[in-house]
Amino acid sequence: MAKALITWGGWDGHEPDKVAALFAGWLRDAGFEVAVTDSLACFDDPGALVDLSLIVPVWTMSQIGKEQALNACAAVAAGVGIAGCHGGMCDAFRDNVDWQFMTGAQWVAHPGNDGVDYGVRMVTDDPLVAGIGDFRVQTEQYYLHVDPAVRVHAVCDFPLVAGPHAPNGVVAMPVVFTKRWGEGRVYYNALGHKAAVIGDGPAAELMRRGLLWAAR
């Protein structure tokens, strides 16, 4: 049976416990053996990590040990998938560049904070997004510094909120992207400020597909 590890913690405002439980349910329904932990000690044993099919981090604004991050990077390079959403993967460890290099982006701003109404549009016909169609959300709109090597599947348009960034004009900001890290697959979805944002509808279907795609 394929094994998935979900590890959660960090800033409580992102409801990491609820998001972790949501993902665990989807993965169990798909036939995975799922371990859920609220500790980063799960990254201490590189041998245990490489036995996994999938790592799902749900951490925001936290700190990870250098060896822990390198162990996670090595496991993904060896073929273990990694998938996450919102701040739970790409604002997990702001001071660890190894993690950021692997995951493909780092949050830097959300102009307007929570409650911004914006559209998400699909920009590939990949099975990850096929048939879902464009949709609207009302939540934080992430501005990310993004690895140019990623493959972008869905975007939103900036700027919607006035600020010093606005004179740069409209940019298509990635919402869903994938990349490779060695033999491993990396999936990211910028939605998910609260569990309800990612819990149903098109956002949920995007995330569910991403988890399954990333898994070895």
Side-chain angles (χ1 to χ4, degrees), residues 11-28:
W11 186 56
D12 289 339
H14 276 164
E15 302 179 340
D17 53 341
K18 293 180 181 179
V19 174
L22 180 69
F23 293 170
W26 292 345
L27 288 168
R28 289 183 178 123

Side-chain angles (χ1 to χ4, degrees), residues 82-100:
I82 188 167
C85 73
H86 201 62
M89 190 166 97
C90 285
D91 191 26
F93 312 114
R94 294 179 184 177
D95 61 351
N96 191 282
V97 293
D98 296 307
W99 182 269
Q100 294 165 20

Side-chain angles (χ1 to χ4, degrees), residues 17 28 35 40 46 59 67-68 82 91 111 129 134 159 172 182 196 199 212 215:
D17 53 341
R28 289 183 178 123
L40 290 172
W59 287 81
E67 291 304 314
Q68 291 175 325
I82 188 167
D91 191 26
V129 298
D134 301 348
L212 299 181

Side-chain angles (χ1 to χ4, degrees), residues 1-7 20-37 52 54 56:
M1 182 181 290
K3 298 178 182 178
L5 169 68
I6 301 174
T7 176
L22 180 69
F23 293 170
W26 292 345
L27 288 168
R28 289 183 178 123
D29 287 347
F32 284 76
E33 176 185 331
V34 182
V36 181
T37 178
L52 298 169
L54 179 67
V56 185

